[in-house]
């Protein structure tokens, strides 16, 4: 009797486990399939988008009137952005696929810039048309390659989950068709990018240039340590660790760090001239005892002490017990937005917790600022009349095309919102309009 | 009999505690001595906004954050009252403002603490200027009804213990009312970012680098932002973080650990422009990196356990 009960109980147990296991297996499969489908969708959309983009570039070239190209170019731009988003969803990060992405975003940038231009006044130049033709051939080759990969993948039922596995265990990735296909695409494009260097589609981003403002002599490690001792406010240099940068750095730096029980600090110093690029101090900050305004005085005093001259406050914000201040350079009454410095002040005792002068050293140089041809009154006529202008300045900004331009900066109100509007001081172009928010409902408190 | 009496007293006590107003607004009736400038947060800003609204200069929400709206109202006030137009609430401006307006600190702070929609214009009765967001039942009602059944279930077996228990739950109720620190109805955020973006990045930074020194955490946040800028990566924070195989913390679920304040501060610093990596878009841990490709990238520097590269 007992034996039978035991047998039945065990049988039920086994059956139950089996059923449970089967259900788990089913669920796992369902999830795997779903993940696989997401990858598949991104991949197939990518090939389709590239194909369509190729067609559109072809149509654009074929169009007779160079003035009416804008809608076509806008369409190409949209497709590049879609394709980039597709690439971003594929598990390719460890696969060198950057060149392709760069190629796509270069096409995007080129078409965007030409699409927003007034093509009636300023139609495509012959050189730009040539660029477009080059892009057409190149996009065609990529399209063919991707379609080939797509075909093989579908014929052999290749799964992206396997690609992911192959990439994770790198040794066996040699014979994965999809990976090989993408590598071929990447190789092809590497060849293209060199060919496109002369055309106007590469390297306009304002970030990508050499440091303009690093002067002075090379400093030794000892000197760097001595300097950071002062900045960190400590007595001895033995506690400091110093390292240099590798060959990937835009500019050679010393990185100095310090740590004790209640404070750690980090400083980047240029090897040439010993200019501070980044300072970060980490320590617990107690309750606020000084105001944002007093913190501003401290910050200003600090940057003056470190030889940043003619800086004016652009923005200040209080986050908890910390004040963050943005300063920009003022050259004879003209605000230069690119030459910015941020300072972080602890509002418990006014210590400086951080400084970043990267933008300042990247961009700052003596500029020849021309006299504006428009008067401020004439410039105001280019602003939307429903905007109530409150303040105005002269400012140098970097516009969408990556050029520095002299503008009138107007701060104005429309409805409940404040906008910053830049009007080119030479020709009245509306270079940039920015909505200023900077605060948000306190979600945590609701 | 005696036990019953005790229990009865305990019940009375607990109900009484429960009925008490759980929020006691701070007595904030006068400006402190600080000069208030744009970007400030706190009680002084609440008073400034309320007073400006009282005399009709400020039409926005009284939220305790000195934003652009407050700035323009203050400047208009300074203009009309013949003060220096600098947008700073210094001694003179505050004095003029106090003379020209009234401020019921207790009422305003209570409205903010309760999350009500309210205005503070002079000349209109206050009761007409507030609308509760969560219906009319205040915190006291819910607190009381919660406390009563709780001690009811425990009284029989525990007697004296029940009081502690009930007392504690009352305390935690008080704490939850206080912990979100809803002293202001808004917070500062960097231009173009929401608190939720910051939170998401803090999750990623915490999952990826919680054992790293502070600058190492800022560095990881900076890499995320550099990728958003870079043409070879997605153009949004979420796109970069959730890109398949981009971050190990995302792949193994560590991103959903609750980040600490340090991680959030690091993210804020990175958004505000700090980049200790020198424009890196990749980083890896040399002890665990499996890909040989990543070793081939031009290296910029090492911070903590991570090597940052282009």
């Amino acid at each position: 009797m007992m034996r039978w009960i035991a047998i039945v109980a065990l049988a039920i147990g086994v059956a139950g486990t089996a059923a449970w296991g089967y259900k788990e297996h089913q669920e796992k499969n369902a999830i795997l399939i779903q993940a696989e489908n997401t990858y598949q969708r991104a991949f197939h959309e990518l090939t389709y988008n590239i194909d369509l983009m190729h067609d559109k570039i072809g149509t654009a070239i074929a169009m007779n009137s160079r003035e009416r190209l804008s809608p076509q170019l806008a369409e190409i731009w949209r497709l590049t952005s879609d394709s980039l988003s597709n690439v971003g969803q594929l598990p390719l990060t460890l696969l060198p696929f950057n060149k392709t992405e760069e190629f796509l975003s270069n096409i995007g940038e080129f078409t965007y810039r030409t699409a927003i231009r007034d093509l009636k006044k300023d139609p495509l130049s012959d050189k730009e048309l040539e660029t477009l033709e080059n892009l057409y051939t190149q996009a065609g080759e990529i399209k063919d390659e991707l379609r080939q990969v797509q075909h093989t993948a579908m014929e052999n039922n290749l799964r992206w989950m396997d690609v992911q596995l192959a990439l994770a265990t790198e040794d066996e990735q040699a014979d994965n068709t999809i990976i090989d296909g993408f590598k071929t695409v990447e190789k092809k494009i590497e060849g293209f990018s060199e060919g496109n260097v002369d055309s106007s589609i590469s390297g306009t981003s304002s970030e990508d240039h050499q440091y303009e403002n690093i002067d002075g002599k090379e400093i030794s490690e000892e000197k760097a340590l001595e300097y950071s001792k002062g900045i960190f406010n400590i007595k001895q240099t033995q506690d400091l660790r110093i390292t240099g940068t590798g060959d990937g750095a835009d500019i050679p730096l010393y990185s100095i760090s310090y740590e004790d029980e209640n404070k750690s600090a980090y400083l980047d110093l240029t090897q040439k001239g010993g200019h501070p690029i980044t300072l970060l101090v980490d320590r617990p900050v107690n309750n606020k005892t000084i105001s944002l305004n007093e913190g501003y005085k401290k910050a200003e005093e600090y940057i003056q002490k470190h030889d940043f001259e003619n800086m004016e406050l652009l923005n200040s914000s209080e986050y908890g017990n910390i004040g963050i201040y943005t300063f920009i350079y003022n050259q004879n009454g003209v605000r230069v937005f690119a030459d910015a410095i941020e300072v972080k002040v602890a509002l418990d005792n006014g210590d400086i917790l951080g400084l970043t002068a990267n933008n300042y050293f990247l961009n700052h140089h003596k500029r020849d600022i021309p006299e504006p041809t428009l008067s401020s009154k004439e410039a105001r006529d280019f602003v939307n009349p429903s905007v109530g202008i409150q303040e105005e300045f002269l400012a140098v900004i970097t516009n969408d095309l990556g050029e520095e331009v002299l503008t009138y900066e107007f701060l104005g109100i429309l409805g409940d919102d404040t906008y910053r509007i830049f009007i080119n001081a030479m020709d009245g172009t509306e270079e940039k309009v920015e909505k200023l928010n900077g605060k948000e409902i306190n979600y945590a408190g609701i | 009999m005696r036990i019953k009496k005790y229990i009865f007293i305990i019940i009375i006590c607990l109900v009484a505690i429960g009925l008490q107003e759980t929020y006691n607004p701070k007595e904030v009736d006068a400006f402190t001595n600080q000069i208030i400038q744009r970007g400030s947060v706190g009680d002084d800003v609440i008073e400034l906004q309320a007073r400006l609204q009282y005399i009709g200069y400020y039409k926005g929400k009284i939220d305790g954050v000195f934003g652009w709206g407050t700035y323009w109202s203050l400047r208009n006030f300074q203009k009309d009252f013949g003060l220096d137009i600098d947008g700073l609430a210094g001694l003179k401006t505050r004095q003029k403002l106090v003379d020209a307006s009234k401020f019921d600190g207790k009422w305003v702070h209570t409205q903010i603490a309760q999350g009500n929609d309210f205005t503070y214009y002079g000349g209109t009765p206050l009761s007409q200027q507030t609308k509760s967001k969560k219906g009319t039942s205040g915190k006291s009602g819910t607190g009381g009804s919660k406390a009563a059944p709780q001690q009811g279930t425990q009284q029989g077996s525990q007697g004296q213990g029940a009081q502690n228990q009930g007392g504690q739950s009352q305390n935690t109720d008080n704490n939850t009312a206080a912990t979100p620190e809803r002293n202001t109805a808004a917070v500062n955020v960097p231009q173009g970012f929401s608190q939720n973006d910051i939170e998401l990045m803090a999750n990623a930074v915490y999952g990826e680098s919680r054992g790293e020194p502070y600058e190492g955490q800022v560095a990881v946040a900076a890499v995320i932002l550099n990728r958003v800028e870079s043409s070879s990566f997605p153009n949004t924070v979420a796109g970069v973080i959730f890109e398949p195989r981009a971050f190990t913390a995302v792949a193994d679920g560590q991103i959903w650990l609750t980040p600490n304040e340090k991680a959030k501060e690091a993210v804020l610093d990175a958004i505000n422009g700090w980049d200790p990596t020198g424009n890196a878009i990749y980083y890896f841990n040399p002890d665990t990196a499996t890909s040989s490709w990543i070793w081939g990238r031009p290296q910029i520097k090492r911070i903590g356990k991570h090597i940052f590269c282009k």
Side-chain angles (χ1 to χ4, degrees):
Chain A
M1 186 59 190
M2 282 300 279
R3 205 162 84 187
W4 277 109
I5 292 176
I7 288 173
V8 169
L10 274 178
I12 292 174
V14 169
T17 315
W20 174 80
Y22 181 69
K23 205 177 126 243
E24 286 290 293
H25 173 75
Q26 291 274 312
E27 276 172 8
K28 194 194 108 198
N29 266 358
I31 290 170
L32 278 182
I33 288 172
Q34 196 163 355
E36 172 67 27
N37 288 349
T38 319
Y39 288 152
Q40 289 286 350
R41 178 183 145 201
F43 174 55
H44 293 299
E45 272 188 2
L46 173 68
T47 49
Y48 175 77
N49 280 335
I50 301 256
D51 200 334
L52 195 59
M53 183 179 84
H54 176 237
D55 284 354
K56 292 279 174 193
I57 300 178
T59 332
I61 296 172
M63 280 178 78
N64 188 24
S65 58
R66 290 193 194 176
E67 302 84 43
R68 300 251 189 89
L69 273 175
S70 294
Q72 284 294 326
L73 293 170
E75 183 75 11
I76 299 169
W77 172 54
R78 184 183 69 79
L79 286 168
T80 58
S81 131
D82 277 0
S83 317
L84 273 175
S85 142
N86 294 140
V87 175
Q89 290 172 43
L90 292 172
L92 295 171
T93 314
L94 289 183
L95 189 74
F97 204 56
N98 332 47
K99 285 276 180 281
T100 313
E101 289 173 298
E102 260 162 47
F103 174 73
L104 282 173
S105 77
N106 280 342
I107 299 183
E109 203 172 304
F110 172 74
T111 47
Y112 172 74
R113 270 195 279 130
T114 35
I116 56 165
R117 199 165 77 196
D118 189 347
L119 290 175
K120 279 206 184 79
K121 267 195 229 150
D122 190 4
L124 281 191
S125 66
D126 285 340
K127 199 165 175 207
E128 281 166 326
L129 205 63
E130 199 182 307
T131 307
L132 209 54
E133 273 161 14
N134 272 338
L135 291 178
Y136 180 65
T137 350
Q138 294 167 0
E141 284 182 44
I142 298 173
K143 181 205 81 178
D144 291 342
E145 204 62 52
L146 278 177
R147 285 289 192 199
Q148 184 61 45
V149 178
Q150 190 185 22
H151 173 74
T152 332
M154 292 211 289
E155 202 174 51
N156 303 328
N157 263 330
L158 293 179
R159 297 192 316 152
W160 275 92
M161 295 309 270
D162 298 334
V163 175
Q164 196 172 354
L165 275 180
L167 281 174
T169 54
E170 213 211 348
D171 305 335
E172 301 136 43
Q173 74 167 252
D175 58 340
N176 189 303
T177 322
I178 294 185
I179 296 178
D180 286 349
F182 273 86
K183 276 189 174 158
T184 320
V185 173
E186 180 74 3
K187 272 260 150 50
K188 278 231 158 78
I189 289 174
E190 255 169 49
F192 299 160
S193 345
E194 282 148 27
N196 284 335
V197 168
D198 290 342
S199 64
S200 54
I201 67 164
S202 55
T204 49
S205 161
S206 55
E207 300 271 312
D208 285 349
H209 61 76
Q210 293 298 309
Y211 281 76
E212 305 257 12
N213 188 34
I214 303 288
D215 49 13
K217 279 196 220 110
E218 294 281 331
I219 61 164
S220 64
E221 290 201 359
E222 288 75 48
K223 213 155 168 217
L225 286 173
E226 205 55 40
Y227 182 80
S228 27
K229 197 177 80 180
I231 284 204
F232 292 167
N233 211 356
I234 50 170
K235 295 199 178 66
Q236 287 168 322
T237 54
Q238 289 98 296
D239 308 330
L240 296 170
R241 293 229 321 263
I242 184 164
T243 50
T245 44
D247 48 9
D250 295 332
I251 181 165
L253 299 171
Y254 289 123
S255 302
I256 302 113
S257 58
Y258 168 78
E259 197 169 354
D260 64 23
E261 302 91 74
N262 38 28
K263 172 170 137 179
S264 76
Y266 177 89
L267 174 73
D268 276 342
L269 217 55
T270 57
Q271 293 186 5
K272 193 179 160 203
H275 303 288
I277 299 275
T278 305
L279 168 69
L280 278 167
V281 179
D282 177 36
R283 68 160 170 84
V285 181
N286 299 322
N287 282 342
K288 207 179 108 178
T289 61
I290 69 172
S291 70
L292 191 66
N293 188 261
E294 288 165 284
Y296 158 60
K297 304 258 162 66
K298 299 266 184 197
E300 195 173 39
E301 197 182 297
Y302 187 80
I303 58 173
Q304 274 166 4
K305 204 172 88 193
H306 287 92
D307 300 331
F308 298 105
E309 270 159 22
N310 299 323
M311 302 301 287
E312 68 169 63
L313 184 69
L314 175 70
N315 241 327
S316 56
S317 291
E318 202 176 312
Y319 300 100
N321 304 326
I322 289 167
I324 291 191
Y325 305 88
T326 307
F327 293 88
I328 51 173
Y329 181 67
N330 188 317
Q331 181 173 334
N332 306 326
V334 180
R335 285 147 60 109
V336 183
F337 274 73
D339 304 0
I341 294 179
E342 270 92 16
V343 184
K344 183 176 165 191
V345 178
L347 296 180
D348 58 351
N349 63 2
D351 279 354
I352 303 297
L353 287 189
L355 165 83
T356 168
N358 193 41
N359 282 330
Y360 182 85
F361 287 113
L362 193 60
N363 299 314
H364 182 65
H365 58 273
K366 188 92 194 133
R367 293 173 172 81
D368 281 327
I369 298 177
E371 283 295 308
T373 43
L374 297 179
S375 72
S376 115
K377 200 162 165 301
E378 285 163 328
R380 273 170 196 248
D381 290 341
F382 289 96
V383 178
N384 180 342
S386 20
V387 174
I389 295 172
Q390 305 284 326
E391 270 190 279
E392 73 164 78
F393 306 93
L394 271 173
V396 169
I397 61 160
T398 312
N399 68 6
D400 280 350
L401 306 182
E403 304 156 345
E404 284 198 345
V405 285
L406 177 67
T407 60
Y408 283 101
E409 173 194 357
F410 295 109
L411 288 169
I413 311 177
L414 179 63
D416 287 337
D417 296 315
T418 298
Y419 292 84
R420 178 175 273 146
I421 299 165
F422 295 99
I423 301 291
N424 192 312
M426 299 300 163
D427 57 13
T429 315
E430 204 166 29
E431 295 283 2
K432 222 180 224 176
V433 178
E434 235 181 340
K435 186 179 148 200
L436 302 176
N437 27 34
K439 73 174 177 181
E440 189 179 46
I441 298 168
N442 187 356
Y443 295 119
I446 295 175
Chain B
M1 187 58 205
R2 277 181 68 184
I3 293 177
K4 260 198 179 168
K5 208 166 145 191
Y6 273 129
I7 291 172
F8 186 68
I9 291 172
I10 290 166
I11 292 175
I12 298 272
C13 288
L14 286 173
V15 170
I17 295 170
L19 286 178
Q20 267 172 10
E21 178 84 23
T22 49
Y23 178 74
N24 298 314
K26 282 171 279 174
E27 290 298 322
V28 199
D29 282 336
F31 284 120
T32 56
N33 273 326
Q34 65 159 322
I35 297 170
I36 320 165
Q37 77 175 34
R38 195 162 57 72
S40 298
V41 179
D43 294 338
D44 278 348
V45 180
I46 292 177
E47 179 168 355
L48 177 71
Q49 291 175 328
R51 283 187 183 275
L52 283 168
Q53 187 154 80
Y54 192 86
I55 46 177
Y57 281 90
Y58 180 62
K59 304 238 158 43
K61 275 202 177 117
I62 299 173
D63 54 17
V65 178
F66 193 150
W68 286 99
T70 319
Y71 179 72
W72 302 126
S73 333
L74 182 64
R75 283 172 64 101
N76 286 336
F77 171 81
Q78 289 176 324
K79 195 169 147 202
D80 292 354
F81 281 72
L83 299 154
D84 294 339
I85 309 172
D86 55 5
L88 295 173
L91 184 63
K92 258 186 168 168
T93 306
R94 289 199 309 261
Q95 200 52 53
K96 269 260 158 62
L97 190 58
V98 169
D99 292 345
S101 65
K102 287 205 179 71
F103 177 58
D104 181 348
K106 195 168 172 183
W107 187 82
V108 171
H109 281 277
T110 311
Q111 301 306 316
I112 290 177
Q114 292 178 352
N116 294 343
D117 233 348
F118 72 103
T119 54
Y120 192 77
Y121 291 103
T124 318
L126 291 181
S127 53
Q128 288 174 21
Q129 300 198 49
T130 171
K131 247 191 320 203
S132 175
K133 267 190 185 154
K134 307 163 189 163
T136 40
S137 73
K139 286 226 160 85
S140 57
T142 49
S145 61
K146 232 188 225 165
Q150 207 166 34
Q151 49 87 30
T153 55
Q154 286 168 356
Q155 52 166 304
S157 57
Q158 286 180 338
Q160 188 64 45
Q163 185 174 18
N164 286 339
Q165 198 75 18
Q168 261 165 23
S169 82
Q170 199 56 51
N171 274 340
T172 48
D173 262 11
N174 276 341
N175 282 344
T176 43
T179 36
E181 282 181 29
R182 196 185 160 79
N183 298 326
T184 57
V187 290
N188 277 314
V189 287
Q191 173 82 22
F193 287 84
S194 153
Q195 291 161 80
N196 296 339
D197 301 330
I198 296 169
E199 191 76 36
L200 180 63
M201 281 182 69
N203 266 317
V205 167
Y206 187 70
E208 282 280 314
S209 63
R210 59 188 172 281
E212 294 291 300
Y214 182 66
E215 59 269 16
Q217 300 189 18
V218 179
V220 169
V223 167
I224 295 178
L225 293 170
N226 289 341
R227 287 191 175 184
V228 174
E229 286 294 312
S230 158
S231 54
S232 25
F233 285 92
N235 295 326
T236 59
V237 168
V240 166
I241 290 177
F242 290 110
E243 190 175 18
R245 302 200 49 79
F247 294 101
T248 42
V250 175
D252 63 14
Q254 291 192 55
I255 182 176
W256 301 119
L257 297 170
T258 311
N260 59 7
E261 286 302 314
K262 205 84 280 175
K264 268 184 224 174
E265 196 186 330
V267 169
L268 259 179
D269 278 353
I271 291 176
N272 278 314
W274 271 265
D275 180 4
T277 68
N279 242 340
I281 50 172
Y282 296 97
Y283 65 87
F284 64 100
N285 183 336
D287 300 333
T288 56
T290 48
S291 157
S292 61
W293 171 76
I294 194 84
W295 281 100
R297 310 290 310 174
Q299 298 182 0
I300 301 173
K301 63 167 80 159
R302 181 175 179 145
I303 301 175
K305 286 197 192 64
H306 290 137
I307 293 180
F308 290 83
C309 39
K310 276 262 148 110

